[in-house]
Amino acid sequence: IDVLGEEGEGEEFPDEEDEDANVQEMQQMRKEVSQGAGNKGGEEVPREVSTSGVAQELSELVVYVQSVRFKSFAQSGAHGKCFEMSSFSESTAERFIRRRGDQKNMVEYGMRQNSRIYPKGARMDSSNYDPQQFWNMGCQMVALNFQTSDLPMQLNFAMFKPNGNCGYILKPRVMRENFGFDPAETHSRALSGTAKHSKIHVEHVEPKIVTVTVISGQNLYKRNVTASVQVEIIGIPYDSQFGLIDKDGQREAKWRTRSSQTGTVNPTWNEKCKFRVVFHELAMLRFAVTDPSVGLLGQNIIPLDSCQMGYRYIPLLTAKNEPIDVCSLFVLLKIEGEVPEDHADFLSALMNPTMSSPAGGGGGGGGGGGAPSADALGLGF
């Protein structure tokens, strides 16, 4: 079966007959092993053998979700049903990411049907892929190797923290309704240089300006370390690569503080960074405290929409997402909507009504400290 539905490329899924034969073979082997275990004296001991190799709880789910082969986006758009779900290997899903237009097709597919992504068989070491790239396309189920404690598992842990940590979260509105959202569009515009960073945005989503001040750390380690804090935004490709605004106005992916002095358990940095996030609903804010000789001292990833502004303690976790006793970062968070460039002066005048008016714009008492005139504000009274 051609998974991608074009030019003969795709993956072969096993036939249903082969799957049924495998199930029957496993049932027969289980029956023989069970009879052998209970027949130590040479006499045959009758044992009850289940006629089905599927747990009753899983079998009942068939009423709600039916597994179907994926043929093409055009076929699923014309004939797909809401209770049908297709599974894609990691390699197939990554081809969707690389092909122009297929990320948008996958978002639209996710509005109608469920999809599941699973690791490719070549991952013999139980490593994990980056799940964020598939969440960006609206994939509902992204399977990971839970026995491996790595960044993908930390992202998965953070992704489903909201909504009471129940395991279910609501997709953003632009991924549930037909707004034509394409997760690759903003990234492509940035790479091609067809638009300034300040002009790049996602339709129907307000960009956010995130300012993080890393003030200090508490009980970071029991021995001498030179700790530094890395802060980054993880989200759609544009936010992950170009979100950080450095001092020169350039765009980068990550920001890091200077290293603390050796032997400081409670270091102080008091350093600031700023991000421009175009799709905050899928963005996560990651803190990672590292030391060159020790490695990771602690980390925490927080969905951006779950962050609260002000002075906050960020509890640090191990690589396995286990809490570290009395170990935290003290930070100042500020998240605000972006003001368009052509409205910046007007907003500044509203926030500072007693500022000096522009030259020639008039002002009380000799043109010094009076409030700006209506003409200066461009109000057109």
Side-chain angles (χ1 to χ4, degrees):
I1 300 298
D2 184 4
V3 175
L4 299 179
E6 59 184 25
E7 299 180 356
E9 295 185 13
E11 296 185 5
E12 294 292 336
F13 283 87
D15 294 331
E16 294 181 0
E17 292 80 3
D18 295 337
E19 293 180 356
D20 294 339
N22 292 335
V23 172
Q24 293 175 3
E25 182 179 354
M26 292 179 62
Q27 291 176 353
Q28 181 63 26
M29 292 176 60
R30 186 183 305 161
K31 179 178 180 180
E32 294 174 357
V33 172
S34 300
Q35 290 178 347
N39 192 16
K40 297 181 180 180
E43 299 180 359
E44 183 175 352
V45 179
R47 299 176 62 89
E48 292 185 2
V49 180
S50 174
T51 58
S52 173
V54 181
Q56 183 63 29
E57 293 81 358
L58 293 177
S59 178
E60 292 174 352
L61 288 178
V62 176
V63 178
Y64 306 102
V65 179
Q66 179 182 352
S67 178
V68 297
R69 295 192 185 106
F70 177 83
K71 296 181 179 179
S72 69
F73 289 115
Q75 189 275 341
S76 63
H79 305 288
K81 299 177 177 60
C82 63
F83 57 83
E84 294 178 339
M85 181 183 72
S86 295
S87 295
F88 306 90
S89 73
E90 170 189 351
S91 301
T92 301
E94 287 179 344
R95 282 201 291 271
F96 292 160
I97 295 176
R98 292 192 297 269
R99 278 187 191 163
R100 184 176 182 86
D102 272 357
Q103 290 196 51
K104 181 180 178 181
N105 290 335
M106 198 65 184
V107 171
E108 294 174 352
Y109 175 89
M111 296 179 188
R112 302 183 302 267
Q113 299 170 246
N114 289 330
S115 60
R116 171 182 171 266
I117 314 296
Y118 58 91
K120 58 186 177 183
R123 292 187 178 273
M124 302 299 293
D125 57 351
S126 294
S127 58
N128 284 311
Y129 48 66
D130 176 14
Q132 185 71 45
Q133 59 185 336
F134 304 126
W135 293 330
N136 292 340
M137 297 192 300
C139 298
Q140 289 89 347
M141 304 180 194
V142 181
L144 296 173
N145 293 307
F146 270 52
Q147 67 270 29
T148 303
S149 301
D150 53 9
L151 178 57
M153 272 303 300
Q154 295 165 11
L155 286 170
N156 187 78
F157 181 79
M159 182 69 168
F160 297 99
K161 277 182 181 177
N163 198 22
N165 202 29
C166 69
Y168 293 89
I169 58 174
L170 186 64
K171 286 200 295 187
R173 180 169 174 253
V174 297
M175 302 179 75
R176 304 192 314 267
E177 302 178 15
N178 192 17
F179 287 110
F181 170 67
D182 185 351
E185 189 265 341
T186 53
H187 190 238
S188 299
R189 293 176 61 193
L191 292 177
S192 63
T194 57
K196 294 169 55 178
H197 286 287
S198 60
K199 299 295 185 181
I200 293 177
H201 66 282
V202 174
E203 292 291 336
H204 308 286
V205 179
E206 179 190 17
K208 298 288 186 181
I209 302 299
V210 182
T211 305
V212 181
T213 304
V214 180
I215 301 173
S216 62
Q218 289 72 44
N219 303 298
L220 293 186
Y221 208 63
K222 296 181 180 179
R223 67 181 188 184
N224 295 342
V225 295
T226 55
S228 62
V229 182
Q230 178 178 295
V231 184
E232 63 178 311
I233 292 289
I234 300 176
I236 63 173
Y238 178 85
D239 288 335
S240 297
Q241 184 171 349
F242 299 110
L244 177 65
I245 308 173
D246 66 13
K247 295 180 180 179
D248 299 325
Q250 301 298 316
R251 300 286 174 157
E252 297 181 4
K254 303 175 182 178
W255 175 85
R256 183 182 294 274
T257 67
R258 69 181 187 280
S259 297
S260 63
Q261 296 182 356
T262 303
T264 304
V265 180
N266 302 310
T268 300
W269 293 283
N270 202 27
E271 298 183 36
K272 181 189 297 185
C273 63
K274 181 181 290 188
F275 298 88
R276 179 181 183 268
V277 182
V278 299
F279 196 15
H280 59 89
E281 293 174 280
L282 272 183
M284 289 185 275
L285 183 62
R286 179 175 185 256
F287 297 89
V289 184
T290 59
D291 173 81
S293 59
V294 179
L296 182 67
L297 302 179
Q299 57 82 28
N300 204 334
I301 305 176
I302 308 170
L304 190 59
D305 282 357
S306 297
C307 292
Q308 298 188 35
M309 292 194 297
Y311 291 95
R312 301 289 171 181
Y313 278 102
I314 308 296
L316 294 179
L317 312 174
T318 66
K320 297 181 179 180
N321 290 308
E322 298 172 346
I324 305 175
D325 292 339
V326 296
C327 184
S328 62
L329 290 175
F330 186 49
V331 303
L332 172 62
L333 295 178
K334 185 178 181 181
I335 304 174
E336 54 189 351
E338 182 183 51
V339 179
E341 292 181 350
D342 50 350
H343 294 165
D345 293 339
F346 178 58
L347 179 63
S348 177
L350 290 178
M351 297 180 65
N352 302 278
T354 60
M355 67 180 182
S356 298
S357 58
S373 65
D375 292 337
L377 294 177
L379 299 179
F381 293 149

